Amino acid sequence: MSLGYTSVALSGADVARGLHHLYTARQMEFVLRRERARADRHQHQFSLVVFALKSRPRRNVDSALLRLARIALDHARATDEIGYYPDADDRLAAVLPNTDANGAWRFAHRVCGQARTKSIAPTCLVFSYPTRPPTDGDGDGTDGRDPSDLQRALALVAQHNGNGNGNGNGHSNGSNGNGHPNGNGNGNGNGNGHGSVERDPVMHRRQIAQFLVMGMEDPQRPGDVEAEPLEMLFVKPLPKWKRALDIVGATSILACISPLLVASAVAVKLSSPGPVIFRQRRAGLGGRPFTIFKFRTMRQGADDLKSALRALSEQDGPAFKMEDDPRVTRVGKFLRQTSIDELPQLLNVLRGEMSLVGPRPLPCEESNASSQWHRRRLDVTPGMTCIWQVKGRSRVTFDEWVRMDLDYIRGVGLWRDIWIMLQTLPAVVLRRGK
């Protein structure tokens, strides 16, 4: 049972942990998933500190990493978990429950400071969960930066990555922040021992691991900056088999339905003034916004009326769905009932922004308004169809919708994708849930 934030003084023999307490990389992956579930359920924050060493012979790295692990264990609370970073056993990781970015940076600073006195020169990054997507006021969930600019992020890490120089050793009573009773905990005192780099929500954990070896020998981090979003470490890039299935499937479908696409485009153009293709910003992999393509089914200016119709939405939660939407044109209603309006998203599939099978992407404002646990559906690439289209659609609550998506994420596989695609056609023809 977790000791939580106790202020009871414990003797060194009671709390001392040895190297046999280190978790393996696979165990640490489980610990991260467990703490994420706890944070979602109890609405609290936790942090991850990842330590790395400069490139050197493997034998020297192993020896120095074990010495660094011993230092981290000495500074950790009983509730902190220390082990090897998942997918990279030459990295050390510390999971700090109920700890914000400031407390995590203080822990990292103390560990790295003591390590330097023992001729060990680690670099580190701090991640915090949960984080909400920044906005620039235009509702697209971005802050005006290019999140795909990996080289810019690498340059910033090379310039600023390191251990921080925060002041203070935390609160002695452990009641405010992640503090030890002896005053050496991960407290939230003022200081500047934290920092950040350009954020990219679609970075894979192995790319993050590459960043860790690019720090300077004695780096200084700027103050008053948050940690990196931990959500990016849960993102799962498309497997090669899934990407191959997407390319072959989307290309084949486009070739077969090209006459239908042309006829639909003509019908949309003649039905009402405005563009044939409707473009909208949606939350993709890791929450990264992308532009989705659909045949336009509404009159021009429909988005301006959405807020006035919000109270009439037939879908609970942040998603907006309305069967008899007055903004929909006559042609648009038919396209929606037959799901023909979704077919241009095959272009999104070919561009790699979507998959044939995966959680349906929500508009950025709806995704940002979702609960913390709802955003786990962003761990994988969104798709054109998923379990929700086959079994529920608007007949289920938003929570049930998300649970269906999470069930799919837990069991992604080739034959399951094929089964869902085969089940989608009769679901559309029979208009289940419409």
Side-chain angles (χ1 to χ4, degrees):
M1 183 177 67
S2 174
L3 295 180
Y5 293 114
T6 178
S7 60
V8 178
L10 300 176
S11 67
D14 292 326
V15 298
R17 288 191 283 178
L19 293 177
H20 61 281
H21 287 98
L22 282 180
Y23 285 90
T24 65
R26 187 171 181 178
Q27 288 171 329
M28 286 299 286
E29 190 168 7
F30 169 79
V31 168
L32 281 172
R33 292 198 302 267
R34 182 196 67 196
E35 290 304 321
R36 185 191 199 188
R38 286 178 175 174
D40 289 345
R41 177 178 294 274
H42 300 295
Q43 299 295 303
H44 66 69
Q45 195 172 28
F46 79 98
S47 296
L48 170 72
V49 183
V50 184
F51 301 93
L53 302 174
K54 291 291 185 178
S55 298
R56 62 182 71 183
R58 178 70 195 203
R59 182 181 61 182
N60 295 341
V61 169
D62 290 343
S63 174
L65 201 65
L66 289 176
R67 287 188 288 151
L68 180 63
R70 190 180 297 277
I71 295 172
L73 287 166
D74 288 343
H75 284 274
R77 302 167 303 173
T79 54
D80 297 336
E81 312 283 11
I82 311 296
Y84 294 101
Y85 180 67
D87 291 341
D89 59 3
D90 58 345
R91 310 281 185 268
L92 195 67
V95 176
L96 312 177
N98 296 289
T99 305
D100 63 7
N102 289 336
W105 273 115
R106 298 199 175 285
F107 171 82
H109 169 65
R110 285 192 302 277
V111 170
C112 292
Q114 185 174 343
R116 284 195 296 269
T117 66
K118 299 181 180 295
S119 301
I120 306 173
T123 59
C124 71
L125 278 178
V126 168
F127 301 86
S128 188
Y129 181 93
T131 55
R132 302 301 293 179
T135 59
D136 58 0
D138 61 4
D140 67 354
T142 69
D143 57 0
R145 296 176 296 187
D146 180 8
S148 65
D149 194 347
L150 184 58
Q151 294 303 318
R152 201 157 120 202
L154 285 169
L156 282 171
V157 173
Q159 179 180 357
H160 295 303
N161 187 21
N163 311 325
N165 59 347
N167 299 318
N169 292 323
H171 293 281
S172 59
N173 59 10
S175 62
N176 185 7
N178 186 8
H180 278 293
N182 61 8
N184 292 322
N186 311 329
N188 292 327
N190 295 327
N192 56 355
H194 49 85
S196 182
V197 297
E198 191 79 6
R199 294 181 177 181
D200 183 349
V202 298
M203 288 178 185
H204 189 250
R205 69 178 79 189
R206 289 176 181 170
Q207 292 174 311
I208 296 296
Q210 294 173 3
F211 292 179
L212 291 167
V213 298
M214 299 185 64
M216 299 184 297
E217 291 294 340
D218 188 19
Q220 299 292 311
R221 277 191 173 271
D224 302 323
V225 188
E226 295 180 354
E228 302 309 309
L230 182 55
E231 287 87 344
M232 68 173 64
L233 301 184
F234 295 106
V235 167
K236 303 174 183 178
L238 275 176
K240 292 182 179 179
W241 65 263
K242 192 171 177 64
R243 182 58 182 152
L245 179 65
D246 288 343
I247 294 175
V248 173
T251 303
S252 302
I253 295 173
L254 283 172
C256 294
I257 66 171
S258 54
L260 176 61
L261 295 178
V262 173
S264 300
V266 173
V268 170
K269 190 64 178 178
L270 295 178
S271 65
S272 63
V276 171
I277 298 297
F278 173 71
R279 294 172 172 83
Q280 186 181 50
R281 298 289 275 173
R282 299 267 179 124
L285 179 65
R288 182 181 184 182
F290 72 99
T291 300
I292 199 173
F293 303 120
K294 300 178 64 174
F295 281 124
R296 181 176 57 83
T297 60
M298 295 184 178
R299 298 176 178 85
Q300 282 189 300
D303 281 346
D304 298 334
L305 302 175
K306 185 176 180 179
S307 58
L309 297 172
R310 167 58 70 176
L312 302 177
S313 175
E314 298 167 6
Q315 178 70 64
D316 67 329
F320 179 87
K321 291 193 176 296
M322 187 175 177
E323 185 174 355
D324 296 321
D325 195 322
R327 302 171 298 169
V328 178
T329 65
R330 186 182 309 173
V331 170
K333 185 174 183 179
F334 173 78
L335 295 180
R336 285 186 165 209
Q337 289 176 338
T338 57
S339 295
I340 294 176
D341 64 318
E342 309 285 354
L343 294 179
Q345 291 163 36
L346 290 167
L347 297 177
N348 290 114
V349 174
L350 291 177
R351 286 158 57 117
E353 298 162 333
M354 293 180 62
S355 178
L356 290 176
V357 182
R360 287 294 298 163
L362 292 174
C364 289
E365 66 274 11
E366 294 180 9
S367 179
N368 294 346
S370 300
S371 299
Q372 193 168 302
W373 71 275
H374 292 157
R375 293 180 59 81
R376 294 190 215 168
R377 64 198 304 276
L378 302 175
D379 289 352
V380 298
T381 302
M384 293 185 63
T385 184
C386 202
I387 300 176
W388 174 71
Q389 276 76 10
V390 173
K391 293 188 175 181
R393 293 203 175 191
S394 57
R395 295 181 300 180
V396 302
T397 66
F398 186 70
D399 283 354
E400 292 172 325
W401 173 1
V402 175
R403 289 190 182 98
M404 290 180 184
D405 289 338
L406 298 183
D407 176 63
Y408 168 76
I409 292 173
R410 285 190 292 266
V412 174
L414 173 61
W415 296 115
R416 194 180 195 191
D417 275 19
I418 294 176
W419 179 85
I420 291 175
M421 286 189 287
L422 292 176
Q423 293 295 313
T424 297
L425 184 58
V428 171
V429 172
L430 298 176
R431 301 181 184 181
R432 294 176 187 164
K434 282 288 188 179

